[in-house]
Coordinates of all heavy atoms in Angstrom, one line a residue:
M1 N 0.9 -1.2 0.0 CA 0.0 0.0 0.0 C 0.9 1.2 0.0 O 1.9 1.3 0.7 CB -0.9 0.0 1.2 CG -1.8 1.1 1.3 SD -2.9 1.1 2.7 CE -4.3 0.2 2.0
S2 N 0.6 2.2 -0.8 CA 1.4 3.4 -0.9 C 1.0 4.4 0.2 O 0.0 4.3 0.8 CB 1.2 4.1 -2.3 OG -0.2 4.6 -2.4
I3 N 1.9 5.4 0.4 CA 1.7 6.4 1.4 C 0.5 7.2 1.0 O -0.4 7.6 1.9 CB 2.9 7.3 1.5 CG1 4.1 6.5 2.0 CG2 2.6 8.5 2.5 CD1 5.4 7.2 2.1
S4 N 0.3 7.5 -0.2 CA -0.9 8.3 -0.6 C -2.2 7.5 -0.4 O -3.2 8.1 0.0 CB -0.8 8.8 -2.1 OG -0.8 7.6 -2.9
A5 N -2.2 6.2 -0.6 CA -3.4 5.4 -0.3 C -3.7 5.4 1.2 O -4.8 5.4 1.6 CB -3.2 4.0 -0.8
I6 N -2.6 5.3 2.0 CA -2.8 5.4 3.5 C -3.4 6.7 3.9 O -4.3 6.7 4.7 CB -1.4 5.1 4.2 CG1 -1.0 3.7 3.9 CG2 -1.5 5.4 5.7 CD1 0.5 3.4 4.3
T7 N -2.9 7.8 3.4 CA -3.4 9.1 3.8 C -4.8 9.3 3.3 O -5.7 9.9 4.0 CB -2.5 10.2 3.3 OG1 -2.3 10.2 1.9 CG2 -1.2 10.2 4.1
H8 N -5.1 8.7 2.1 CA -6.5 8.8 1.6 C -7.5 8.0 2.4 O -8.6 8.5 2.7 CB -6.5 8.3 0.1 CG -7.9 8.3 -0.5 ND1 -8.8 7.3 -0.4 CD2 -8.6 9.3 -1.1 CE1 -9.9 7.6 -1.0 NE2 -9.8 8.9 -1.4
T9 N -7.1 6.9 2.9 CA -7.9 6.1 3.8 C -8.2 6.8 5.1 O -9.3 6.8 5.6 CB -7.2 4.7 4.0 OG1 -7.0 4.0 2.8 CG2 -8.1 3.8 4.9
A10 N -7.1 7.4 5.6 CA -7.3 8.1 6.9 C -8.2 9.3 6.7 O -9.0 9.6 7.6 CB -5.9 8.5 7.4
L11 N -8.0 10.0 5.6 CA -8.8 11.2 5.3 C -10.3 10.8 5.2 O -11.2 11.5 5.7 CB -8.3 11.9 4.1 CG -9.1 13.2 3.7 CD1 -9.1 14.2 4.8 CD2 -8.6 13.7 2.4
S12 N -10.6 9.7 4.4 CA -12.0 9.3 4.3 C -12.6 8.9 5.6 O -13.7 9.1 5.9 CB -12.1 8.2 3.3 OG -11.5 7.0 3.8
G13 N -11.7 8.3 6.5 CA -12.2 8.0 7.8 C -12.5 9.2 8.7 O -13.6 9.2 9.4
M14 N -11.7 10.2 8.6 CA -12.0 11.5 9.3 C -13.3 12.1 8.8 O -14.1 12.6 9.6 CB -10.8 12.4 9.2 CG -9.6 12.0 10.0 SD -8.3 13.2 10.1 CE -7.7 13.2 8.4
L15 N -13.5 12.1 7.5 CA -14.7 12.7 6.9 C -15.9 11.9 7.3 O -17.0 12.5 7.6 CB -14.6 12.8 5.4 CG -13.5 13.8 4.8 CD1 -13.4 13.6 3.3 CD2 -13.9 15.2 5.2
A16 N -15.8 10.6 7.3 CA -16.9 9.8 7.8 C -17.3 10.1 9.2 O -18.5 10.2 9.6 CB -16.6 8.3 7.5
Q17 N -16.3 10.2 10.1 CA -16.5 10.4 11.5 C -17.1 11.9 11.7 O -17.9 12.1 12.6 CB -15.3 10.2 12.3 CG -14.8 8.8 12.3 CD -15.9 7.8 12.8 OE1 -16.7 8.1 13.7 NE2 -15.8 6.6 12.3
T18 N -16.7 12.8 10.9 CA -17.3 14.1 10.9 C -18.7 14.1 10.6 O -19.6 14.8 11.3 CB -16.5 15.1 10.0 OG1 -15.1 15.1 10.3 CG2 -17.1 16.5 10.0
K19 N -19.1 13.3 9.6 CA -20.5 13.2 9.2 C -21.3 12.5 10.4 O -22.4 12.9 10.7 CB -20.6 12.4 8.0 CG -22.0 12.4 7.3 CD -21.9 11.8 5.9 CE -23.1 12.1 5.1 NZ -23.0 11.6 3.7
R20 N -20.7 11.6 11.0 CA -21.4 10.9 12.2 C -21.5 11.9 13.3 O -22.6 11.9 14.0 CB -20.5 9.7 12.6 CG -21.2 8.9 13.7 CD -20.3 7.7 14.1 NE -20.9 6.8 15.0 CZ -20.3 5.9 15.7 NH1 -19.0 5.7 15.5 NH2 -21.0 5.1 16.5
A21 N -20.5 12.7 13.6 CA -20.6 13.7 14.7 C -21.7 14.7 14.4 O -22.5 15.1 15.3 CB -19.3 14.4 14.9
G22 N -21.9 15.0 13.1 CA -23.0 15.9 12.8 C -24.4 15.3 13.0 O -25.3 16.0 13.5
A23 N -24.5 14.0 12.7 CA -25.8 13.3 13.0 C -26.0 13.3 14.5 O -27.2 13.4 14.9 CB -25.7 12.0 12.3
I24 N -25.0 13.0 15.2 CA -25.2 12.9 16.7 C -25.6 14.3 17.2 O -26.5 14.4 18.1 CB -23.9 12.5 17.4 CG1 -23.6 11.0 17.0 CG2 -24.0 12.6 18.9 CD1 -22.2 10.5 17.4
A25 N -25.0 15.4 16.8 CA -25.3 16.7 17.2 C -26.8 17.0 16.8 O -27.5 17.6 17.6 CB -24.4 17.7 16.6
N26 N -27.2 16.6 15.7 CA -28.6 16.8 15.2 C -29.5 16.1 16.1 O -30.6 16.6 16.5 CB -28.7 16.4 13.8 CG -29.9 17.0 13.1 OD1 -30.4 18.1 13.5 ND2 -30.4 16.3 12.1
N27 N -29.2 14.9 16.5 CA -30.0 14.0 17.3 C -30.2 14.7 18.7 O -31.3 14.8 19.2 CB -29.5 12.6 17.5 CG -29.6 11.8 16.3 OD1 -30.4 12.1 15.4 ND2 -28.8 10.8 16.2
V28 N -29.1 15.2 19.3 CA -29.2 15.8 20.6 C -30.0 17.1 20.5 O -30.8 17.4 21.4 CB -27.8 16.1 21.2 CG1 -27.8 16.9 22.4 CG2 -27.1 14.8 21.4
A29 N -29.8 17.9 19.5 CA -30.5 19.2 19.3 C -32.0 19.0 19.1 O -32.8 19.8 19.5 CB -29.9 20.0 18.1
N30 N -32.4 17.9 18.5 CA -33.8 17.7 18.2 C -34.5 16.6 19.1 O -35.6 16.1 18.7 CB -34.0 17.3 16.7 CG -33.6 18.5 15.8 OD1 -34.3 19.5 15.9 ND2 -32.6 18.3 15.0
A31 N -33.8 16.2 20.1 CA -34.4 15.2 21.0 C -35.8 15.4 21.5 O -36.6 14.5 21.6 CB -33.4 14.9 22.2
S32 N -36.1 16.6 21.8 CA -37.4 16.9 22.3 C -38.4 17.4 21.2 O -39.5 17.8 21.5 CB -37.3 18.0 23.4 OG -36.8 19.2 22.9
T33 N -38.0 17.4 20.0 CA -38.9 17.8 18.9 C -39.9 16.6 18.6 O -39.5 15.5 18.4 CB -38.1 18.0 17.6 OG1 -37.1 19.0 17.9 CG2 -39.0 18.5 16.5
P34 N -41.2 17.0 18.7 CA -42.2 15.9 18.4 C -42.1 15.3 17.0 O -41.9 16.1 16.1 CB -43.6 16.7 18.6 CG -43.2 17.9 19.4 CD -41.8 18.3 19.0
G35 N -42.1 14.0 17.0 CA -42.1 13.3 15.7 C -40.7 13.2 15.1 O -40.5 12.7 14.0
Y36 N -39.7 13.6 15.8 CA -38.3 13.5 15.3 C -37.8 12.1 15.4 O -38.0 11.4 16.4 CB -37.3 14.4 16.1 CG -35.9 14.3 15.6 CD1 -35.5 15.0 14.5 CD2 -35.0 13.5 16.3 CE1 -34.2 14.9 14.1 CE2 -33.7 13.4 15.9 CZ -33.3 14.1 14.8 OH -32.0 14.0 14.3
G37 N -37.3 11.6 14.3 CA -36.7 10.2 14.2 C -35.2 10.3 14.3 O -34.6 11.1 13.6
R38 N -34.6 9.5 15.2 CA -33.1 9.5 15.3 C -32.4 9.3 14.0 O -32.8 8.4 13.2 CB -32.8 8.4 16.4 CG -31.3 8.3 16.6 CD -31.0 7.2 17.7 NE -29.6 7.2 18.0 CZ -28.7 6.5 17.3 NH1 -29.1 5.7 16.3 NH2 -27.4 6.5 17.7
L39 N -31.3 10.0 13.8 CA -30.5 9.8 12.6 C -29.5 8.7 13.0 O -28.8 8.7 14.1 CB -29.8 11.0 12.2 CG -30.7 12.2 11.8 CD1 -29.8 13.4 11.4 CD2 -31.5 11.8 10.6
N40 N -29.3 7.7 12.1 CA -28.3 6.7 12.3 C -27.3 6.7 11.2 O -27.6 6.9 10.0 CB -29.0 5.3 12.3 CG -28.1 4.2 12.7 OD1 -27.3 4.3 13.6 ND2 -28.3 3.1 12.0
T41 N -26.0 6.6 11.6 CA -24.9 6.6 10.6 C -24.4 5.2 10.4 O -24.2 4.5 11.3 CB -23.8 7.5 11.1 OG1 -24.3 8.7 11.5 CG2 -22.7 7.7 10.1
S42 N -24.3 4.9 9.1 CA -23.7 3.6 8.7 C -22.5 3.8 7.8 O -22.4 4.8 7.1 CB -24.7 2.7 8.0 OG -25.2 3.3 6.9
F43 N -21.6 2.9 7.9 CA -20.3 3.0 7.1 C -20.2 1.9 6.1 O -20.6 0.8 6.3 CB -19.1 2.9 8.1 CG -19.1 4.0 9.1 CD1 -19.6 3.8 10.4 CD2 -18.7 5.3 8.8 CE1 -19.7 4.7 11.3 CE2 -18.7 6.3 9.8 CZ -19.2 6.0 11.0
Q44 N -19.7 2.3 4.9 CA -19.5 1.3 3.8 C -18.0 1.4 3.4 O -17.5 2.5 3.3 CB -20.4 1.5 2.6 CG -21.9 1.4 2.9 CD -22.5 2.7 3.5 OE1 -22.0 3.7 3.2 NE2 -23.5 2.5 4.3
S45 N -17.4 0.3 3.1 CA -16.1 0.3 2.5 C -16.2 0.8 1.0 O -17.1 0.4 0.3 CB -15.5 -1.1 2.5 OG -14.2 -1.1 1.9
V46 N -15.2 1.6 0.7 CA -15.1 2.2 -0.7 C -13.8 1.7 -1.3 O -12.8 1.8 -0.7 CB -15.2 3.7 -0.7 CG1 -15.1 4.3 -2.1 CG2 -16.5 4.2 0.0
E47 N -13.9 1.2 -2.5 CA -12.7 0.7 -3.2 C -12.0 1.8 -3.9 O -12.7 2.7 -4.4 CB -13.1 -0.4 -4.3 CG -13.6 -1.7 -3.6 CD -12.6 -2.4 -2.8 OE1 -11.4 -2.3 -3.1 OE2 -13.0 -3.0 -1.8
P48 N -10.8 1.9 -4.1 CA -9.8 0.9 -3.6 C -9.5 1.0 -2.1 O -9.2 0.0 -1.5 CB -8.6 1.1 -4.4 CG -8.6 2.6 -4.7 CD -10.1 2.9 -4.8
T49 N -9.5 2.2 -1.6 CA -9.3 2.3 -0.1 C -10.2 3.4 0.4 O -10.5 4.3 -0.3 CB -7.8 2.8 0.2 OG1 -7.6 4.0 -0.5 CG2 -6.8 1.7 -0.3
G50 N -10.7 3.2 1.6 CA -11.5 4.2 2.3 C -12.8 3.7 2.8 O -13.1 2.6 2.7
V51 N -13.5 4.7 3.3 CA -14.8 4.4 3.9 C -15.7 5.6 3.6 O -15.3 6.7 3.4 CB -14.7 4.2 5.5 CG1 -14.2 5.5 6.2 CG2 -15.9 3.7 6.1
Q52 N -17.0 5.3 3.6 CA -18.0 6.3 3.3 C -19.1 6.2 4.3 O -19.6 5.1 4.6 CB -18.5 6.2 1.9 CG -19.5 7.3 1.5 CD -20.0 7.1 0.1 OE1 -19.8 6.0 -0.5 NE2 -20.5 8.2 -0.5
A53 N -19.6 7.3 4.8 CA -20.7 7.3 5.8 C -22.0 7.8 5.1 O -22.0 8.6 4.3 CB -20.4 8.3 7.0
S54 N -23.1 7.1 5.5 CA -24.4 7.5 5.1 C -25.3 7.7 6.3 O -25.2 6.9 7.2 CB -25.0 6.6 4.1 OG -25.1 5.3 4.6
V55 N -26.1 8.7 6.3 CA -27.0 9.0 7.4 C -28.4 8.7 7.0 O -28.8 9.1 5.9 CB -26.8 10.4 7.9 CG1 -27.8 10.7 9.0 CG2 -25.4 10.7 8.3
S56 N -29.2 8.0 7.8 CA -30.6 7.7 7.5 C -31.4 7.9 8.7 O -31.0 7.7 9.9 CB -30.7 6.2 7.0 OG -30.3 5.3 8.0
E57 N -32.6 8.3 8.5 CA -33.6 8.6 9.6 C -34.2 7.3 10.0 O -34.6 6.5 9.2 CB -34.6 9.6 9.2 CG -35.5 10.0 10.4 CD -36.5 11.1 10.0 OE1 -36.2 11.8 9.0 OE2 -37.4 11.3 10.7
T58 N -34.4 7.1 11.3 CA -35.0 5.9 11.8 C -36.3 6.4 12.6 O -36.6 7.6 12.7 CB -34.1 5.1 12.8 OG1 -33.9 6.0 14.0 CG2 -32.8 4.8 12.2
D59 N -37.1 5.4 13.0 CA -38.3 5.7 13.8 C -38.0 5.6 15.3 O -38.9 5.7 16.1 CB -39.5 4.8 13.4 CG -39.2 3.4 13.6 OD1 -38.0 3.0 13.9 OD2 -40.1 2.6 13.4
Q60 N -36.7 5.5 15.7 CA -36.4 5.4 17.1 C -36.3 6.8 17.8 O -36.1 7.8 17.1 CB -35.0 4.8 17.2 CG -34.8 3.4 16.6 CD -33.3 3.0 16.6 OE1 -32.5 3.8 16.7 NE2 -33.1 1.7 16.5
D61 N -36.6 6.8 19.1 CA -36.4 8.0 19.8 C -35.0 8.2 20.2 O -34.2 7.3 20.2 CB -37.3 7.9 21.1 CG -38.8 8.0 20.9 OD1 -39.2 8.6 19.8 OD2 -39.5 7.4 21.7
V62 N -34.6 9.4 20.5 CA -33.2 9.8 20.8 C -33.0 9.3 22.3 O -33.7 9.7 23.2 CB -32.9 11.3 20.7 CG1 -31.5 11.6 21.1 CG2 -33.1 11.7 19.2
D63 N -31.9 8.6 22.5 CA -31.5 8.2 23.8 C -30.1 8.8 24.1 O -29.2 8.6 23.4 CB -31.3 6.6 23.9 CG -30.8 6.1 25.2 OD1 -31.1 6.7 26.2 OD2 -30.0 5.2 25.1
F64 N -30.1 9.7 25.1 CA -28.8 10.4 25.3 C -27.6 9.6 25.7 O -26.5 9.9 25.3 CB -29.1 11.5 26.4 CG -29.9 12.6 26.0 CD1 -31.2 12.8 26.4 CD2 -29.5 13.5 25.0 CE1 -32.0 13.8 26.0 CE2 -30.3 14.6 24.6 CZ -31.6 14.7 25.1
A65 N -27.9 8.4 26.3 CA -26.8 7.5 26.7 C -26.2 7.0 25.4 O -24.9 6.9 25.3 CB -27.2 6.4 27.6
T66 N -27.0 6.6 24.4 CA -26.5 6.1 23.2 C -25.8 7.2 22.4 O -24.7 6.9 21.8 CB -27.7 5.6 22.3 OG1 -28.4 4.5 23.0 CG2 -27.2 5.0 21.0
E67 N -26.3 8.4 22.4 CA -25.6 9.5 21.7 C -24.3 9.8 22.3 O -23.3 10.0 21.6 CB -26.5 10.7 21.7 CG -27.9 10.6 21.1 CD -27.8 10.0 19.6 OE1 -26.9 10.4 18.9 OE2 -28.7 9.2 19.3
L68 N -24.2 9.7 23.6 CA -22.9 10.0 24.3 C -21.9 8.9 24.0 O -20.7 9.2 23.7 CB -23.1 10.2 25.8 CG -21.8 10.5 26.6 CD1 -21.2 11.8 26.1 CD2 -22.1 10.5 28.1
T69 N -22.3 7.7 24.0 CA -21.4 6.6 23.7 C -21.0 6.6 22.3 O -19.8 6.4 22.0 CB -22.2 5.2 23.9 OG1 -22.7 5.2 25.3 CG2 -21.3 4.0 23.7
D70 N -21.9 6.9 21.4 CA -21.5 7.1 19.9 C -20.5 8.2 19.7 O -19.6 8.1 18.9 CB -22.8 7.3 19.1 CG -23.6 6.0 18.9 OD1 -23.1 5.0 19.3 OD2 -24.7 6.1 18.3
L71 N -20.7 9.3 20.5 CA -19.8 10.5 20.4 C -18.4 10.1 20.8 O -17.4 10.5 20.2 CB -20.4 11.7 21.1 CG -19.6 13.0 20.9 CD1 -19.6 13.4 19.5 CD2 -20.3 14.1 21.8
V72 N -18.3 9.4 21.9 CA -17.0 9.0 22.4 C -16.3 8.1 21.4 O -15.1 8.2 21.1 CB -17.1 8.3 23.8 CG1 -15.8 7.6 24.2 CG2 -17.6 9.2 24.9
E73 N -17.1 7.1 20.8 CA -16.5 6.3 19.8 C -16.1 7.1 18.5 O -15.0 6.8 17.9 CB -17.5 5.2 19.4 CG -17.0 4.2 18.4 CD -18.1 3.2 18.0 OE1 -19.0 2.9 18.8 OE2 -18.1 2.7 16.8
T74 N -16.9 8.0 18.2 CA -16.6 8.9 17.0 C -15.3 9.7 17.3 O -14.4 9.8 16.4 CB -17.8 9.9 16.8 OG1 -18.9 9.1 16.5 CG2 -17.5 10.8 15.6
E75 N -15.2 10.2 18.5 CA -14.0 11.0 18.8 C -12.7 10.1 18.7 O -11.7 10.5 18.1 CB -14.1 11.6 20.2 CG -12.8 12.3 20.6 CD -12.8 12.7 22.1 OE1 -13.6 12.1 22.9 OE2 -12.0 13.5 22.5
R76 N -12.8 8.9 19.3 CA -11.6 8.0 19.2 C -11.3 7.6 17.8 O -10.1 7.5 17.5 CB -11.9 6.8 20.1 CG -11.9 7.2 21.6 CD -12.0 6.1 22.5 NE -12.0 6.5 23.9 CZ -12.0 5.7 24.9 NH1 -12.0 4.4 24.7 NH2 -11.9 6.2 26.1
S77 N -12.3 7.3 17.0 CA -12.0 6.9 15.7 C -11.4 8.1 14.9 O -10.5 7.8 14.0 CB -13.3 6.5 15.0 OG -13.9 5.3 15.6
Y78 N -11.9 9.3 15.1 CA -11.4 10.4 14.4 C -9.9 10.6 14.7 O -9.1 10.9 13.9 CB -12.2 11.7 14.7 CG -11.8 12.9 13.9 CD1 -12.4 13.2 12.7 CD2 -10.7 13.7 14.3 CE1 -12.0 14.2 11.9 CE2 -10.3 14.8 13.5 CZ -11.0 15.1 12.3 OH -10.6 16.1 11.5
K79 N -9.6 10.5 16.0 CA -8.2 10.7 16.5 C -7.3 9.7 15.9 O -6.2 10.0 15.6 CB -8.2 10.7 18.0 CG -8.6 12.0 18.7 CD -8.5 11.9 20.2 CE -8.9 13.2 20.9 NZ -8.8 13.1 22.3
A80 N -7.8 8.4 15.8 CA -7.0 7.4 15.3 C -6.7 7.6 13.8 O -5.5 7.5 13.3 CB -7.7 6.0 15.4
N81 N -7.7 8.1 13.0 CA -7.5 8.4 11.6 C -6.6 9.6 11.5 O -5.7 9.6 10.6 CB -8.8 8.6 11.0 CG -9.5 7.4 10.6 OD1 -9.0 6.6 9.8 ND2 -10.7 7.2 11.2
A82 N -6.7 10.6 12.4 CA -5.8 11.8 12.3 C -4.4 11.4 12.6 O -3.4 11.9 11.9 CB -6.3 12.8 13.3
A83 N -4.1 10.5 13.5 CA -2.8 10.0 13.8 C -2.2 9.3 12.6 O -1.0 9.5 12.2 CB -2.8 9.1 15.0
V84 N -3.0 8.5 11.9 CA -2.5 7.8 10.7 C -2.2 8.8 9.6 O -1.1 8.7 8.9 CB -3.5 6.8 10.2 CG1 -3.1 6.2 8.8 CG2 -3.6 5.6 11.2
F85 N -3.0 9.8 9.4 CA -2.8 10.8 8.4 C -1.5 11.6 8.7 O -0.7 11.8 7.8 CB -4.0 11.8 8.4 CG -3.9 12.7 7.2 CD1 -4.4 12.4 6.0 CD2 -3.4 14.0 7.4 CE1 -4.3 13.3 4.9 CE2 -3.3 14.9 6.4 CZ -3.8 14.6 5.1
E86 N -1.3 12.0 10.0 CA -0.1 12.7 10.3 C 1.1 11.9 10.1 O 2.2 12.4 9.6 CB -0.2 13.2 11.8 CG -1.2 14.3 12.0 CD -1.3 14.7 13.5 OE1 -0.4 14.3 14.3 OE2 -2.3 15.4 13.8
T87 N 1.1 10.6 10.4 CA 2.2 9.7 10.2 C 2.5 9.6 8.7 O 3.7 9.7 8.3 CB 1.9 8.3 10.7 OG1 1.7 8.4 12.1 CG2 3.1 7.4 10.5
G88 N 1.5 9.5 7.8 CA 1.7 9.5 6.4 C 2.3 10.8 5.9 O 3.2 10.8 5.0
A89 N 1.8 11.9 6.4 CA 2.4 13.2 6.0 C 3.9 13.3 6.5 O 4.7 13.8 5.7 CB 1.6 14.3 6.6
D90 N 4.2 12.8 7.6 CA 5.6 12.8 8.1 C 6.5 11.9 7.2 O 7.6 12.3 6.9 CB 5.7 12.3 9.5 CG 5.1 13.2 10.5 OD1 4.9 14.4 10.2 OD2 4.8 12.8 11.7
L91 N 5.9 10.8 6.7 CA 6.7 9.9 5.8 C 6.9 10.6 4.5 O 8.0 10.5 3.9 CB 5.9 8.6 5.6 CG 5.9 7.6 6.7 CD1 5.0 6.4 6.5 CD2 7.3 7.1 7.0
W92 N 5.9 11.4 4.0 CA 6.1 12.1 2.8 C 7.3 13.1 3.0 O 8.1 13.3 2.1 CB 4.9 12.9 2.4 CG 3.9 12.1 1.5 CD1 2.7 11.8 1.8 CD2 4.2 11.6 0.2 NE1 2.1 11.0 0.8 CE2 3.0 10.9 -0.2 CE3 5.3 11.6 -0.6 CZ2 2.9 10.3 -1.4 CZ3 5.2 11.0 -1.9 CH2 4.0 10.3 -2.2
D93 N 7.3 13.8 4.1 CA 8.4 14.8 4.4 C 9.7 14.1 4.4 O 10.7 14.6 3.9 CB 8.1 15.4 5.8 CG 7.0 16.4 5.7 OD1 6.6 16.8 4.6 OD2 6.5 16.8 6.8
V94 N 9.8 12.9 5.0 CA 11.1 12.2 5.0 C 11.5 11.8 3.6 O 12.7 12.0 3.2 CB 11.0 10.9 5.9 CG1 12.2 10.0 5.7 CG2 10.8 11.3 7.4
L95 N 10.6 11.3 2.8 CA 10.9 11.0 1.5 C 11.4 12.2 0.7 O 12.3 12.1 -0.2 CB 9.7 10.3 0.8 CG 9.4 8.9 1.2 CD1 8.1 8.4 0.6 CD2 10.6 8.0 0.9
M96 N 10.7 13.3 0.8 CA 11.1 14.5 0.1 C 12.5 15.0 0.5 O 13.3 15.4 -0.3 CB 10.1 15.6 0.3 CG 8.8 15.4 -0.4 SD 9.1 15.5 -2.1 CE 8.1 14.2 -2.7
S97 N 12.8 14.9 1.8 CA 14.2 15.3 2.3 C 15.2 14.3 1.7 O 16.3 14.8 1.4 CB 14.2 15.4 3.8 OG 14.1 14.1 4.4
I98 N 14.9 13.1 1.6 CA 15.9 12.1 1.1 C 16.1 12.4 -0.4 O 17.2 12.3 -0.9 CB 15.4 10.6 1.3 CG1 15.4 10.3 2.7 CG2 16.2 9.7 0.4 CD1 14.8 8.9 3.1
K99 N 15.0 12.7 -1.1 CA 15.1 13.0 -2.6 C 15.9 14.2 -2.8 O 16.7 14.2 -3.8 CB 13.7 13.2 -3.1 CG 13.7 13.3 -4.6 CD 12.3 13.4 -5.2 CE 12.3 13.6 -6.7 NZ 11.0 13.8 -7.2
R100 N 15.8 15.2 -2.0 CA 16.6 16.5 -2.2 C 18.1 16.2 -1.9 O 18.9 17.0 -2.4 CB 16.1 17.6 -1.2 CG 14.8 18.2 -1.8 CD 14.4 19.4 -0.9 NE 13.1 19.0 -0.3 CZ 12.8 19.1 1.0 NH1 13.7 19.5 1.9 NH2 11.7 18.7 1.4
D101 N 18.4 15.3 -1.1 CA 19.8 15.1 -0.7 C 20.6 14.3 -1.7 O 20.3 13.8 -2.7 CB 19.9 14.3 0.6 CG 19.5 15.2 1.8 OD1 19.4 16.4 1.6 OD2 19.2 14.6 2.8

């Protein structure tokens, strides 16, 4: 796997988690709105590398414990993807410095 593929995978993961965080925020903001259906985020693998998030409305009520748990998971997943992205960027910097020498 190339460095660019690794950074692309990490970037798609960060974008997917950002979309999930938005759905969670929407759920919390509209929890007391009559007739509001909880938004659920699902993830699909995208070829050749990466992930894509899709948000769909359900008929479930908003449960704050579920939203908080999902938010913690989202934060950790985002941080893990960010660390991979930063490592890939650092590898590019090393390769560029080797090429210049």
Side-chain angles (χ1 to χ4, degrees):
M1 180 177 271
S2 68
I3 296 172
S4 62
I6 292 169
T7 56
H8 179 267
T9 300
L11 179 61
S12 72
M14 288 188 291
L15 292 172
Q17 294 303 328
T18 300
K19 195 170 195 175
R20 184 181 188 192
I24 293 168
N26 199 28
N27 288 339
V28 171
N30 291 297
S32 61
T33 302
Y36 178 77
R38 179 180 185 271
L39 297 178
N40 188 39
T41 308
S42 59
F43 301 97
Q44 298 84 29
S45 177
V46 177
E47 292 298 327
T49 59
V51 65
Q52 183 178 18
S54 60
V55 177
S56 59
E57 187 176 341
T58 65
D59 58 354
Q60 301 170 341
D61 291 333
V62 175
D63 175 39
F64 288 109
T66 301
E67 300 306 324
L68 182 60
T69 304
D70 286 353
L71 187 59
V72 169
E73 183 181 331
T74 300
E75 177 191 17
R76 290 185 179 185
S77 297
Y78 188 92
K79 283 182 179 180
N81 281 298
V84 170
F85 188 85
E86 288 177 15
T87 302
D90 291 344
L91 287 172
W92 273 117
D93 288 343
V94 168
L95 287 174
M96 288 295 140
S97 68
I98 290 172
K99 185 177 179 181
R100 281 186 245 131
D101 291 342

